[in-house]
Amino acid sequence: MREILIVGGGYAGFYTAWRLEKKLRHGEARVTVVDPRPYMTYQPFLPEVLAGSIEARHAAVSLRRHLHRTRLIAGSVTEIRNASRTVTVRQEGRPDYDLGYDVLVVTAGAVTRTFPIPGIQEEAFGLKHVEEAVAIRDRLLTSFDRAAALPPGPERRKLLTATFVGGGFSGVEGFGELMSLAKSLLKHYPELDAHELNLHLVEALGRILPEVGDKPGSWVVRSLERRGAQVHLNTQLLSAADGNIVLSNGQEFASGLLVWTAGNASNPIVHNHTDLPVNQRGLVRVRADLRVGTETAVIPDVWAAGDDAAVPDLATGRSDTYTVPNAQHAVRQGKRLAKNIAASLRGRNTKDYVHHSLGVVATLGIGRGIFQYHGLVIKGLPAWLMHRGYHVLAIPTWERKARVFAVWATAALYGRDIVSLASVQDPRKAFVSGGRPASPVGLPD
């Protein structure tokens, strides 16, 4: 059998493997997926995980539960050497080793783009994985608990201040959902006042949500500001050392929560550790049918899709444009990739990837959203319902759809759960200390 090796189990990788299981004949090829996480994260639901509207596990699709005929390796690919048809795999608890392949599929995804800003590495959370969304939520809930026990002052003000850096979809949706959660928490904390809550959104450009038009983007800014947010446009973060936020517009304030969502960067595996052709942005060069190569030269049996690939966007009618890195494209590229690989194995012609956008939709918190399709713009509750409807249908498997819908129905009746489980980030602490709380400083145990 031929060995099909898929690097990365995100959107594109999962859907490629899932569809290959249905397309391949018995004994035609073996599929292997290498990914350090045993699940695919449905990233559009991360803002709702952050807000407690969805359980964390429901935004993660188990690879082993749904890929029944695929070999799964829980590890990371650290180098791709197509000249020798091998990759280097790193797994915890064992030395690095080489893995061979006949057909390679690169769907490693992108990573969060960061800059050498003081305090970012020590203070900031990202928002690309389930663990990060849960940690942000727990930090906010714990901050409310601590603030309620303090008198008004600088420390309490810091605990009730949250800052998001990045005005793209991930940042705006996460910010809107966090604002919705924070506002709803106030009724459970009579010690706190709504005026003490300070929420900042920082964007280096002069607008947010670049995927929507100027007018809808301006409406989102006004909507957030009416709800009490402070939106800083044309502003950069200069420092976050010790939680003290310094902005390029001259403002300084202490923030107990910092979330960094300022775009994506190419995956280091693809950018720095492969002999495959990459463009100036560090993305794999891909033809319209998702084979790696250029219009004049193709690399046999090597394919790529998703956020780590420069896929020509044929829907625009221009030769110099590429598909944007979002779930809408990654899912459909994975499906087309599986069909093309199966066709290639059987000596048939492949088809180009073409997808016309279905529009963009974003949640801004419970009951608030925005949708745009060409000149059609829908705002408020209808857009929020469209967001939920589209994504509950888009998340793979009926099992996940049912779980998500059940949580939504429960929350509609009883509200969101507001219990912080920050202690799970250090689960052995209670055991090691014998179940005793930490002693106050200066007092004996």
Side-chain angles (χ1 to χ4, degrees):
M1 283 194 298
R2 304 193 76 186
E3 181 73 37
I4 301 174
L5 177 62
I6 301 176
V7 179
Y11 290 112
F14 172 79
Y15 273 94
T16 300
W18 204 25
R19 287 302 177 95
L20 279 174
E21 288 194 346
K22 300 175 183 178
K23 294 287 181 182
L24 295 176
R25 305 183 185 116
H26 180 71
E28 188 172 17
R30 182 174 70 167
V31 180
T32 298
V33 174
V34 181
D35 195 284
R37 289 181 169 82
Y39 56 82
M40 183 208 82
T41 302
Y42 191 73
Q43 291 184 355
F45 274 157
L46 292 185
E48 295 210 43
V49 171
L50 180 157
S53 297
I54 291 178
E55 290 297 322
R57 286 186 175 86
H58 298 171
V61 180
S62 170
L63 299 182
R64 292 192 178 275
R65 184 183 181 96
H66 301 291
L67 300 180
H68 305 295
R69 295 189 291 114
T70 297
R71 179 174 62 154
L72 300 173
I73 297 178
S76 300
V77 170
T78 60
E79 187 177 1
I80 298 172
R81 297 178 301 281
N82 189 59
S84 60
R85 294 294 178 103
T86 59
V87 301
T88 300
V89 178
R90 177 168 298 166
Q91 287 183 285
E92 187 175 354
R94 63 176 296 184
D96 292 0
Y97 62 95
D98 290 342
L99 196 63
Y101 61 83
D102 298 298
V103 178
L104 177 66
V105 180
V106 183
T107 54
V111 298
T112 301
R113 180 181 60 183
T114 59
F115 299 97
I117 298 173
I120 286 293
Q121 296 295 329
E122 296 80 12
E123 302 290 338
F125 293 91
L127 190 53
K128 286 184 71 70
H129 302 291
V130 171
E131 304 95 322
E132 294 171 321
V134 172
I136 293 168
R137 178 174 180 266
D138 287 342
R139 171 66 71 88
L140 181 71
L141 294 172
T142 301
S143 293
F144 266 72
D145 286 332
R146 292 178 57 193
L150 294 174
E155 184 60 28
R156 178 157 145 169
R157 188 162 53 251
K158 178 179 180 179
L159 290 169
L160 296 177
T161 300
T163 305
F164 273 65
V165 180
F169 260 82
S170 179
V172 171
E173 288 191 312
F175 184 75
E177 287 288 349
L178 181 132
M179 176 179 288
S180 179
L181 172 62
K183 295 283 187 180
S184 69
L185 287 175
L186 289 171
K187 63 178 178 287
H188 301 288
Y189 291 85
E191 306 92 339
L192 304 178
D193 188 89
H195 297 293
E196 297 180 275
L197 195 61
N198 294 292
L199 304 175
H200 299 263
L201 176 63
V202 181
E203 169 55 46
L205 301 179
R207 52 167 298 178
I208 62 174
L209 294 179
E211 294 86 350
V212 305
D214 290 340
K215 289 184 178 180
S218 298
W219 176 85
V220 173
V221 171
R222 294 194 302 271
S223 175
L224 294 173
E225 290 178 337
R226 284 195 299 268
R227 294 162 60 189
Q230 298 183 53
V231 181
H232 308 271
L233 300 179
N234 295 308
T235 303
Q236 297 178 350
L237 176 66
L238 301 181
S239 176
D242 299 321
N244 295 311
I245 306 298
V246 181
L247 303 179
S248 62
N249 62 7
Q251 287 191 250
E252 296 185 25
F253 53 88
S255 182
L257 173 61
L258 175 62
V259 182
W260 181 270
T261 60
N264 295 325
S266 59
N267 196 305
I269 300 168
V270 172
H271 195 185
N272 303 320
H273 304 289
T274 180
D275 55 359
L276 299 176
V278 297
N279 66 9
Q280 65 276 13
R281 295 173 52 205
L283 304 178
V284 180
R285 293 185 180 273
V286 175
R287 295 161 59 102
D289 64 355
L290 304 178
R291 288 185 292 177
V292 173
T294 64
E295 288 300 320
T296 57
V298 63
I299 298 181
D301 298 321
V302 182
W303 310 75
D307 293 355
D308 62 3
V311 180
D313 191 352
L314 300 185
T316 65
R318 296 171 53 187
S319 60
D320 59 344
T321 58
Y322 301 96
T323 58
V324 296
N326 62 21
Q328 193 174 136
H329 281 297
V331 168
R332 288 164 178 80
Q333 287 171 10
K335 294 177 181 179
R336 170 47 54 196
L337 197 50
K339 294 177 182 178
N340 281 354
I341 291 173
S344 177
L345 290 175
R346 297 162 190 165
R348 299 174 183 171
N349 293 329
T350 60
K351 293 184 179 180
D352 291 344
Y353 171 76
V354 184
H355 173 64
H356 296 273
S357 174
L358 302 175
V360 292
V361 62
T363 174
L364 303 174
I366 296 293
R368 298 176 174 89
I370 187 165
F371 167 82
Q372 181 176 2
Y373 178 72
H374 297 302
L376 174 64
V377 177
I378 300 175
K379 307 170 185 175
L381 179 61
W384 177 76
L385 293 173
M386 292 172 68
H387 177 274
R388 284 202 160 182
Y390 172 79
H391 285 298
V392 78
L393 292 175
I395 191 172
T397 80
W398 286 103
E399 170 256 343
R400 273 297 176 263
K401 301 180 200 295
R403 291 181 186 274
V404 169
F405 190 80
V407 173
W408 282 342
T410 303
L413 292 174
Y414 302 107
R416 291 178 287 201
D417 200 327
I418 61 169
V419 175
S420 170
L421 295 178
S423 59
V424 302
Q425 296 169 33
D426 189 7
R428 296 187 66 252
K429 186 175 182 179
F431 173 76
V432 172
S433 64
R436 295 171 297 173
S439 300
V441 176
L443 295 180
D445 291 339

